Amino acid sequence: MGEYAGLGEVGGKRVLVRSDLNVPLDGDRITDDGRIRASVPTIRALAEAGARVVVVAHLGRPKGEPEARYSLAPVAARLGELLGSEVAFAGDTVGESAHETVAALSDGQVALLENVRFNAGETSKDDAERAEFARRLAELADAFVSDGFGVVHRKQASVYDVAQLLPHAMGTLVSAEIDVLRRLTDEPARPYAVVLGGSKVSDKLGVIDNLLGKADTLLIGGGMVFTFLKAQGHEVGRSLLEEDQLDTCREYLRRAEESGVRILLPGDIVVDTEFPAGERTPQPQVVPASEIPADALGLDIGPASAADFAAALADAQTVFWNGPMGVFEVPEFSDGTRVVADALSRTRDHGGLSVVGGGDSAAAVRTLGFDEASFGHISTGGGASLEYLEGRTLPGITVLEA
Ligand code: ADP
Ligand code: MG
């Protein structure tokens, strides 16, 4: 029997753990088990301390009722393999099956409940409805551990409300994530560079806004770069463009200049005449960022820009990266992302901290074959880390501190 930090003795107790097990599936095959692996240390620590561990999690976006394709059953099997012991799977979340499964647990055993989002109460905007569902969840346990970093920015029953009903503690994953994010916001080691990419500017405006006052250099690539290029007066052909964000981008460029923050935009772009899809062989072409042809789409930063970005990152002591530099899923448009990831992976060679945030960015690092261990930290929660960096409070964290 043993203790768990923040909860004291947990031997023989039923401990409900909110994990983030929302992995990509192809049928019932898990294509990337990163989130399951990241959840193992907390579950294992509790099991080793003799707790009866009851894991609750979601998968995908079912509409508040059971839907076979979003079942967590394949995840239970994989979790069991990673733990090296069988994980009992309950066919519902708070029903008969859940109660029977939990009652059958011995000390040190682990159960996984079926997808929490099969219950409308989980994500309900109605406080009373959410609280009622949380009450039913709480009946299954004596204590609660919050370890689903990917959902701590959500005011949901299994994240927020249940913590108000049970003795609670932070899991090791959530506390590691929060520690790293603090290092990005409270007196970061300088030079501090932020690399932003991905598909939409509007997703990342809050971060740009907040980091303009903190970072030394902001490097921008990916689909969001075209709104910045257009804001500078360049034509961007058929590239991704958010017309309604042009003024905001202009404002950011102006503020950066005023405050001495360097914003680096790519000088060359890899374009094609069609978005890569289906059977067609991509025909990449490199053009200056100021001369994107009217019929072309920008799909990656060019080789000269990738080299510039890598050079700008070479002496950084703190780097945060969110959003791929191009459509990295297609090999012809993955070079910019690869070069930037490679530069980040070298940050620790000179004692710096590199942090990768965002689901697709983390997937890019893995699919491009990088060793995860060469990065300082790969965040499991894109939205949560962005909201933290925007300076917002995360309900799932605040509730634990109360
Ligand atoms: P993250 O999940 O890391 O936060 P995003 O979801 O913002 O990243 O963006 C990831 C997506 O952006 C990828 O699927 C990638 O293909 C796409 N993307 C990157 N560059 C471009 C581009 N130039 N045009 C269109 N899509 C792009
Ligand atoms: Mg994404």
Side-chain angles (χ1 to χ4, degrees), residues 194 208-220 228 232 247-265:
V194 175
I208 300 177
D209 199 4
N210 201 30
L211 291 179
L212 267 180
K214 298 201 167 78
D216 301 302
T217 311
L218 205 56
L219 297 87
I220 298 178
F228 277 92
Q232 286 188 320
D247 285 340
T248 314
C249 289
R250 265 182 222 115
E251 160 77 10
Y252 288 156
L253 290 166
R254 192 187 58 72
R255 262 174 57 200
E257 199 158 331
E258 251 173 40
S259 58
V261 175
R262 186 161 69 120
I263 292 193
L264 209 59
L265 296 175

Side-chain angles (χ1 to χ4, degrees), residues 142-208:
D142 308 302
F144 175 65
V145 171
S146 176
D147 205 34
F149 181 69
V151 287
V152 289
H153 59 313
R154 304 277 185 219
K155 200 170 180 182
Q156 296 176 344
S158 70
V159 179
Y160 176 81
D161 304 82
V162 76
Q164 296 179 315
L165 303 174
L166 292 170
H168 50 73
M170 234 183 234
T172 52
L173 176 62
V174 166
S175 69
E177 296 267 12
I178 294 292
D179 283 350
V180 166
L181 290 170
R182 288 217 172 100
R183 290 172 66 188
L184 294 179
T185 45
D186 303 350
E187 299 177 30
R190 296 187 183 278
Y192 178 12
V194 175
V195 190
L196 293 176
S199 43
K200 286 172 80 186
V201 189
S202 43
D203 281 354
K204 321 243 160 137
L205 286 176
V207 183
I208 300 177

Side-chain angles (χ1 to χ4, degrees), residues 269-357:
I269 300 288
V270 184
V271 300
D272 199 344
T273 51
E274 273 177 55
F275 195 82
E279 301 289 289
R280 179 182 171 273
T281 312
Q283 286 154 16
Q285 199 195 333
V286 179
V287 300
S290 55
E291 293 171 31
I292 297 176
D295 65 340
L297 296 103
L299 297 169
D300 193 10
I301 60 172
S305 311
D308 283 352
F309 282 22
L313 295 173
D315 68 341
Q317 281 300 318
T318 308
V319 192
F320 173 69
W321 173 35
N322 174 273
M325 296 292 97
V327 182
F328 73 94
E329 296 91 339
V330 177
E332 284 82 353
F333 306 106
S334 65
D335 286 346
T337 303
R338 181 179 295 104
V339 171
V340 163
D342 182 67
L344 253 88
S345 74
R346 293 169 195 280
T347 310
R348 45 191 303 149
D349 298 348
H350 55 265
L353 170 71
S354 61
V355 179
V356 182

Side-chain angles (χ1 to χ4, degrees), residues 76 87-93 97-99 101-102 111-115:
V87 169
F89 183 64
D92 56 33
T93 320
S97 176
H99 280 273
T101 307
V102 172
L112 174 63
L113 305 175
E114 182 57 289
N115 196 337

Side-chain angles (χ1 to χ4, degrees), residues 69-91:
R69 66 186 167 126
Y70 293 124
S71 173
L72 278 169
V75 173
R78 181 74 187 123
L79 180 60
E81 283 167 21
L82 291 165
L83 284 167
S85 63
E86 203 183 320
V87 169
F89 183 64

